Amino acid sequence: FNPKDIMMTYSWSYVVYKLVITTAACFAIAILCGYLAAQERRAKQDLWAMEDQVKRVEKLAAVGEMASGLAHEIKNPLASLSGSIQVLKEEIPYEERHDQLMEIVLRETNRISALVNDFLMFARPHPGKVKTIELSQTIADIIGLFQADSRRNRKITITKNLVKDIHISIDPDQLRQVMWNLLLNAEESIEKEGCIDISINPIDKKYVAITVTDTGCGISEDILKLIFDPFFTRKPKGTGLGLSIVQRIVSSHNGLVDVTSAPGKGTSFMIKFPRVVPSHTA
């Protein structure tokens, strides 16, 4: 063999080897840069969502602290009023017009009482009976109850993608109230036919996201900034406390609420909770 040919072959092999290594390194760096960029975008989105939540919670806390005493003061005379009407209804001689008027008073006092109860839940949500629950079964039960409600729109399809064996610590009744409010809002945003999708997705092993997405009318950006404000509503019969209560309950369990929407394309609410390890598997 010619030593020069051997050296030439070796040189070309070395060049090819270096080229392959350099190319592979470039690909690895590009993949790593893409991954880091995605992580950065997600971190920024989480940060923005947390900043929005902090602002909402501070606003709700200020209003709630001021108004909770007033709500308690309203409940006392309401109870007296309702009780007095009940006594009158039983003791005075029956007369159709008087009976109708007393029924109206009772109905309206019950409505105001329900509104005050909602307002108290918004103003000072009680911690409830916190338990460690398996999330998928609990959410499936809530969806089942919602689907069985005779008042719901039967033309709306509900789909679900519920990852199992994920646990959180929460009062089940409060979680039911949160999910019911979100499902009801999703349904009311769909005028005729549409779809509501509920999913459970683990995030990093430390958190879990519950997402409720609808194909409804969507929400414009200027309205989106106001939907968590107490008494803000676009519904003719709404109280404007549903999403405020959702925000208060979720934040009281160290959770996070985020929402994305586009007019004509639908809305997606995401609730993020810390995951826990059940004691029997710890």
Side-chain angles (χ1 to χ4, degrees):
F1 294 99
N2 189 328
K4 290 185 177 180
D5 291 339
I6 294 174
M7 289 299 296
M8 185 67 69
T9 302
Y10 174 79
S11 298
W12 277 109
S13 298
Y14 181 75
V15 169
V16 171
Y17 170 77
K18 294 293 288 185
L19 183 60
V20 169
I21 292 298
T22 304
T23 303
C26 290
F27 274 115
I29 292 171
I31 293 171
L32 180 60
C33 288
Y35 173 77
L36 292 175
Q39 289 290 94
E40 182 184 12
R41 285 195 297 270
R42 192 168 74 176
K44 285 182 178 179
Q45 289 172 352
D46 287 346
L47 180 60
W48 293 332
M50 289 177 66
E51 288 177 349
D52 289 341
Q53 170 148 318
V54 168
K55 292 176 183 177
R56 292 197 299 262
V57 169
E58 288 176 348
K59 183 190 295 185
L60 295 180
V63 176
E65 192 67 28
M66 176 183 65
S68 60
L70 178 61
H72 279 293
E73 290 302 318
I74 292 174
K75 284 182 69 69
N76 293 331
L78 270 180
S80 300
L81 179 61
S82 179
S84 300
I85 293 296
Q86 289 281 13
V87 171
L88 286 174
K89 189 177 180 181
E90 293 174 0
E91 292 186 354
I92 65 175
Y94 174 80
E95 185 177 330
E96 183 177 1
R97 176 165 173 76
H98 291 168
D99 193 68
Q100 289 176 346
L101 290 173
M102 285 187 285
E103 284 294 338
I104 290 173
V105 173
L106 288 173
R107 185 180 68 241
E108 293 305 305
T109 53
N110 288 336
R111 190 170 72 88
I112 295 172
S113 181
L115 177 61
V116 171
N117 287 334
D118 283 348
F119 190 67
L120 282 172
M121 172 60 76
F122 147 71
R124 285 183 180 175
H126 58 85
K129 298 179 180 179
V130 177
K131 300 178 181 178
T132 297
I133 61 169
E134 201 283 319
L135 196 54
S136 65
Q137 186 58 56
T138 305
I139 297 295
D141 291 343
I142 296 170
I143 295 171
L145 289 172
F146 186 78
Q147 289 178 308
D149 194 321
S150 60
R151 296 166 294 180
R152 64 174 300 268
N153 184 352
R154 300 296 172 184
K155 294 182 179 180
I156 296 176
T157 303
I158 295 180
T159 61
K160 52 184 182 286
N161 179 24
L162 309 179
V163 178
K164 296 182 179 181
D165 295 324
I166 293 179
H167 297 77
I168 65 172
S169 290
I170 195 169
D171 177 358
D173 290 335
Q174 291 188 358
L175 178 62
R176 187 178 299 111
Q177 185 170 11
V178 166
M179 291 302 300
W180 196 275
N181 282 342
L182 294 181
L183 289 169
L184 195 60
N185 277 355
E187 184 179 77
E188 291 176 347
S189 73
I190 301 171
E191 292 184 1
K192 295 180 181 179
E193 297 182 3
C195 179
I196 301 172
D197 180 73
I198 303 98
S199 65
I200 296 175
N201 298 298
I203 304 175
D204 295 333
K205 296 185 178 179
K206 291 186 178 180
Y207 297 94
V208 60
I210 308 169
T211 307
V212 178
T213 303
D214 64 66
T215 57
C217 59
I219 307 170
S220 62
E221 188 174 350
D222 56 330
I223 298 296
L224 202 62
K225 299 175 182 178
L226 305 173
I227 59 174
F228 292 99
D229 290 354
F231 301 109
F232 175 82
T233 181
R234 297 182 298 169
K235 305 173 187 176
K237 296 182 180 180
T239 63
L241 287 174
L243 290 177
S244 299
I245 291 172
V246 167
Q247 174 71 78
R248 292 286 274 176
I249 291 175
V250 172
S251 61
S252 71
H253 290 86
N254 300 315
L256 174 71
V257 182
D258 193 19
V259 55
T260 56
S261 186
K265 294 183 179 180
T267 302
S268 181
F269 281 90
M270 186 203 74
I271 307 170
K272 184 178 176 182
F273 285 116
R275 294 174 63 176
V276 299
V277 178
S279 58
H280 64 274
T281 61

